[in-house]
Amino acid sequence: MKDDKLNSILELLQKQEKDIDKLKRDNKKLLEKIEIINKNSEKMANHIDFINRSYDKLANSYIFKNIF
């Protein structure tokens, strides 16, 4: 009787350990994806800054001011 209970508890603990390991792996994958998203967001921000600077230069240029 005691052995059955102990075995049952041990099985539950082993299952929980497997579940925890799976969650750790999943979290690691998610963190890697978040890192990729952050890098891509930074690249997009740099492109937007470049476009804004280019537009400002164009808007302030002699040709743009005198023709348009």
Side-chain angles (χ1 to χ4, degrees), residues 34-66:
I34 289 171
E35 191 174 317
I36 291 169
I37 290 170
N38 285 340
K39 286 179 183 177
N40 288 338
S41 296
E42 189 176 324
K43 288 178 185 177
M44 278 189 356
N46 288 338
H47 288 297
I48 291 169
D49 286 344
F50 174 77
I51 291 168
N52 286 337
R53 284 192 311 272
S54 298
Y55 176 78
D56 287 343
K57 288 178 184 176
L58 179 64
N60 292 324
S61 71
Y62 175 79
I63 294 172
F64 190 81
K65 284 182 178 179
N66 292 315

